[in-house]
Amino acid sequence: NQLALGTLRLEGTANAVTPAQAAELKLYWLALLALAANSTTAAEETAALQTQIVETLTPAQLEAINALALTNVDLSEFYIEQGVVMNTPEPGVTPQGGKNSGLSQEQREATRAANEASGTPVGNGGSANGSERRDMLLNTLLDLLIQRTAE
């Protein structure tokens, strides 16, 4: 995740990936996405692809990604920017269902409409699970790499 988000964050800087790097990275990230979808993938396969990704980036790019000191908070902010609803439980509280779980469908739709009217961000009706979020991150990165390859 750090490499994917870090590569996205390099965009617009002197360390952004080049078209030649993008062509190579695109293949590695596509392969990683395919491996992630396969439940029989060996950890060594994933590690080998990650190594190839690291070796494709320059030392300056890797230093820049490292200097970003990306955390799960940064990753969560990325997902929120993409419109994903992030359910963050209160510390020490066991969730008892969704925030609107006691509402009828009409009440939920009215709440959603009110939130949209007031400018409050509204997600896609649910929270994305871990694999959906990972796929969103990788697909966003792949879109960038495909665009960069065409330059």
Side-chain angles (χ1 to χ4, degrees):
N1 287 345
Q2 284 190 341
L3 284 172
L5 185 58
T7 301
L8 287 169
R9 296 283 164 93
L10 292 180
E11 189 60 18
T13 72
N15 290 311
V17 295
T18 66
Q21 284 178 305
E24 195 171 344
L25 288 168
K26 177 181 69 171
L27 299 175
Y28 296 142
W29 285 109
L30 280 169
L32 197 60
L33 189 60
L35 287 179
N38 185 341
S39 62
T40 62
T41 299
E44 294 82 8
E45 292 175 287
T46 301
L49 275 171
Q50 290 170 336
T51 298
Q52 290 177 300
I53 290 167
V54 167
E55 290 173 353
T56 304
L57 296 170
T58 67
Q61 289 169 323
L62 292 170
E63 286 176 30
I65 290 171
N66 190 43
L68 292 171
L70 297 170
T71 65
N72 282 335
V73 171
D74 297 300
L75 194 56
S76 292
E77 288 173 356
F78 167 80
Y79 293 132
I80 290 168
E81 290 168 8
Q82 301 301 311
V84 174
V85 175
M86 300 297 292
N87 293 332
T88 52
E90 276 185 58
V93 175
T94 303
Q96 301 297 319
K99 137 178 126 171
N100 293 332
S101 62
L103 300 178
S104 70
Q105 183 62 31
E106 282 181 3
Q107 290 169 320
R108 275 185 278 223
E109 288 174 11
T111 300
R112 182 180 181 88
N115 286 338
E116 287 175 344
S118 69
T120 302
V122 178
N124 58 7
S127 62
N129 67 33
S131 63
E132 290 171 337
R133 289 191 303 261
R134 180 204 59 235
D135 290 354
M136 178 181 289
L137 174 63
L138 295 185
N139 285 328
T140 302
L141 176 59
L142 285 166
D143 288 345
L144 168 70
L145 295 174
I146 290 166
Q147 178 183 359
R148 180 58 38 84
T149 302
E151 292 178 358

